[in-house]
Amino acid sequence: MRKLHLFEDRQSIVKAMPKKLVQKLDQLGLLYSNKQKVMFCGLISFDDQIAVFLPRNSDFVEADELSQRKVCATLLKALKRYLDNKDNAINADELIDEGVYGKEYLGLIFALFEDYFNNGLFTRRVTERKVNSGKIDWNRTIKQSIPYMSGDSPVYLELAGSIKRVYSNCETARIHAEILRKLDQKIGWFINVDAAITRQLIDVPASLLNNDAKLYHLNNELTRAYSDRDIYLIKQLISYLKLESMSQQSDFSIGVKRFEGMWEHMLSKTLKDVFPINKKLAKPVYKINGELKLASRKGQRTDIVLRDPKTGDFTVIDAKYYSAKSIETAPGWPDLVKQFFYARAVKSIYPESNVSNMFIFPGKNGPIESAQMAEPTKCEIQEENLLDEYPVISCLFHCPTKILSIYISDRYIN
């Protein structure tokens, strides 16, 4: 099992961070602020070791090795679900802009492990023809055998039959087992945290074919496959071998450079009573050469809006992936203006409803309770300095590791 290091996204590079990991981060373009901080959430393999970067402000307590592996597995499962969702919703260009690493590799890992857990090792099903044994094939018996008459009834002394056998010692099974063992050694202990696949497949001999010969064999096997499971599995094995051939290195990276989008997405899926309001918000219109043109793609887009099913009141939420531990790391003026404006936009559509504002930050807790506007003064701010014309923006903190767990299990935040 590879040595595991746990860090956080946006963490400063410290002396405790292995030098080769810092070099790998720099090589991948994941350092910023004069290369003193990390911008990455996910997993990086380096020098036969593993570094996992949890979301910022996770404050994960390293209780024991099993809990470390479980939180890493949760992160990978959440990344897999998020990237699958993004892949179905947007085009590949937007995935590149977000800074996605190892999406195809992550998909293959889950696909091959899940298939193995559900179906076991590849087996070849062969029907062998037999005489006087197995299931009788009367059509073939009548065509091939000479009957003897017994009274008015024909008697066949040689009955054509068949026996179905299942073999798991074929070349495809050896390739399948070899790939599973490699994945298990690289990353399987994250996904299969309770038992190692390698022990289950220790008696299956490795394939003696090189990578090109394996691909040639699997493509031939694909032409003979007929069950949906066999076709699916062989295609996944081919994809993995092609990916391994292209990378030509044992190190790999899985994750996202900019976690902001995933933070917003997870909150939108785990908060109750999310209300789809963006299509109802006003859109800009430009007058070009005397003609009015609606710019629907440039319209208002809130992060998350909740509507209380009992009162009909709204809460406009901005999912902020900020440190939010001081004035310097709190939301700035553009963030505040956007919230003020969106609350007003919602109120214009539902004038009878109350509309409140909220920021949600990552963290078990935080010092910022709310954001408000006040008259400029040289003295210490008092309650009477606060302006009623600007609504209060309340601030809430949610632990990222808990949100990851809730997200992958299709539950809601309590």
Side-chain angles (χ1 to χ4, degrees):
M1 184 182 297
R2 297 184 174 192
K3 184 177 180 181
L4 172 63
H5 304 269
L6 280 183
F7 304 103
E8 282 191 8
D9 182 20
R10 312 301 165 95
Q11 177 177 331
S12 297
I13 294 176
V14 294
K15 292 182 180 179
M17 191 174 288
K19 185 177 179 180
K20 289 190 176 180
L21 172 59
V22 176
Q23 293 172 347
K24 186 72 176 179
L25 291 167
D26 190 20
Q27 178 187 343
L28 294 171
L30 300 176
L31 299 180
Y32 73 108
S33 188
N34 293 324
K35 298 186 178 181
Q36 294 304 304
K37 290 188 176 182
V38 179
M39 185 183 290
F40 182 72
C41 191
L43 178 150
I44 291 180
S45 165
F46 72 100
D47 193 31
D48 205 32
Q49 301 177 65
I50 295 287
V52 173
F53 292 84
L54 299 174
R56 73 185 314 171
N57 296 352
S58 289
D59 297 324
F60 176 71
V61 179
E62 301 180 25
D64 52 51
E65 184 179 308
L66 181 60
S67 63
Q68 292 179 35
R69 287 160 52 190
K70 284 185 175 180
V71 75
C72 294
T74 299
L75 174 60
L76 286 180
K77 290 174 183 177
L79 282 166
K80 170 68 166 55
R81 180 171 183 178
Y82 171 67
L83 293 176
D84 283 348
N85 182 280
K86 294 280 285 184
D87 199 29
N88 292 333
I90 62 176
N91 59 45
D93 291 337
E94 288 175 283
L95 281 175
I96 295 172
D97 291 339
E98 194 170 17
V100 176
Y101 292 77
K103 178 179 182 294
E104 185 178 1
Y105 189 67
L106 179 62
L108 285 170
I109 289 170
F110 274 92
L112 288 169
F113 279 145
E114 287 175 3
D115 174 85
Y116 176 73
F117 295 148
N118 293 329
N119 304 296
L121 193 65
F122 175 87
T123 55
R124 176 173 289 146
R125 301 161 188 80
V126 178
T127 301
E128 297 180 353
R129 291 186 175 185
K130 298 290 182 178
V131 176
N132 293 335
S133 65
K135 184 179 180 180
I136 299 174
D137 185 338
W138 286 110
N139 287 332
R140 192 154 55 88
T141 298
I142 292 171
K143 289 179 181 178
Q144 296 178 356
S145 301
I146 299 174
Y148 294 89
M149 301 303 297
S150 176
D152 295 331
S153 302
V155 176
Y156 293 90
L157 299 182
E158 294 186 349
L159 300 175
S162 63
I163 296 177
K164 291 184 178 181
R165 298 189 184 278
V166 176
Y167 296 94
S168 59
N169 61 347
C170 59
E171 186 63 35
T172 302
R174 287 192 284 271
I175 295 172
H176 186 198
E178 183 180 342
I179 289 175
L180 286 172
R181 285 194 295 261
K182 284 184 178 180
L183 285 176
D184 193 39
Q185 291 167 3
K186 284 184 176 182
I187 198 172
W189 51 282
F190 280 156
I191 296 178
N192 184 31
V193 294
D194 297 323
I197 292 174
T198 301
R199 293 196 299 270
Q200 301 171 11
L201 301 175
I202 194 171
D203 295 328
V204 182
S207 172
L208 299 178
L209 302 178
N210 62 30
N211 201 74
D212 289 339
K214 289 174 185 173
L215 285 169
Y216 181 80
H217 169 81
L218 290 175
N219 279 302
N220 283 338
E221 184 78 75
L222 190 59
T223 62
R224 299 193 295 267
Y226 60 89
S227 73
D228 290 341
R229 187 263 171 156
D230 287 357
I231 293 171
Y232 172 79
L233 172 60
I234 294 168
K235 285 182 176 180
Q236 298 301 313
L237 295 174
I238 290 172
S239 296
Y240 177 81
L241 290 174
K242 286 181 177 179
L243 189 63
E244 191 179 57
S245 178
M246 288 171 59
S247 64
Q248 294 182 345
Q249 58 183 9
S250 58
D251 292 345
F252 57 94
S253 306
I254 299 171
V256 291
K257 183 175 181 178
R258 288 171 288 277
F259 193 73
E260 292 87 342
M262 185 168 171
W263 177 244
E264 176 191 332
H265 172 80
M266 291 195 303
L267 288 174
S268 70
K269 296 298 182 182
T270 55
L271 288 168
K272 290 182 179 179
D273 305 319
V274 173
F275 187 77
I277 200 171
N278 285 335
K279 290 184 179 179
K280 299 183 179 182
L281 296 177
K283 305 292 187 292
V285 174
Y286 295 91
K287 191 171 186 178
I288 302 176
N289 296 326
E291 182 181 354
L292 295 176
K293 294 187 177 182
L294 179 68
S296 56
R297 292 189 178 184
K298 298 180 182 291
Q300 304 173 68
R301 181 190 175 278
T302 61
D303 279 7
I304 305 166
V305 174
L306 308 182
R307 190 178 193 185
D308 190 313
K310 296 180 180 178
T311 64
D313 293 341
F314 290 89
T315 304
V316 180
I317 297 175
D318 195 358
K320 285 299 180 192
Y321 190 62
Y322 290 2
S323 175
K325 293 180 178 179
S326 64
I327 289 291
E328 290 73 24
T329 58
W333 176 239
D335 300 316
L336 300 175
V337 169
K338 187 173 69 170
Q339 286 305 101
F340 295 148
F341 187 84
Y342 280 145
R344 189 170 183 176
V346 173
K347 186 72 173 178
S348 69
I349 303 173
Y350 298 94
E352 303 302 321
S353 299
N354 294 319
V355 181
S356 58
N357 260 319
M358 179 182 291
F359 288 131
I360 297 184
F361 305 107
K364 291 181 179 178
N365 49 59
I368 303 177
E369 300 174 18
S370 64
Q372 294 173 256
M373 301 297 292
E375 293 281 3
T377 176
K378 295 181 181 180
C379 303
E380 185 177 343
I381 298 295
Q382 302 296 328
E383 290 290 334
E384 57 266 21
N385 300 123
L386 300 177
L387 298 175
D388 294 333
E389 294 89 336
Y390 295 88
V392 177
I393 303 177
S394 58
C395 297
L396 194 63
F397 290 78
H398 278 301
C399 176
T401 54
K402 286 187 178 179
I403 297 298
L404 289 170
S405 180
I406 293 170
Y407 172 64
I408 65 172
S409 56
D410 280 324
R411 293 183 288 118
Y412 289 110
I413 300 169
N414 292 327

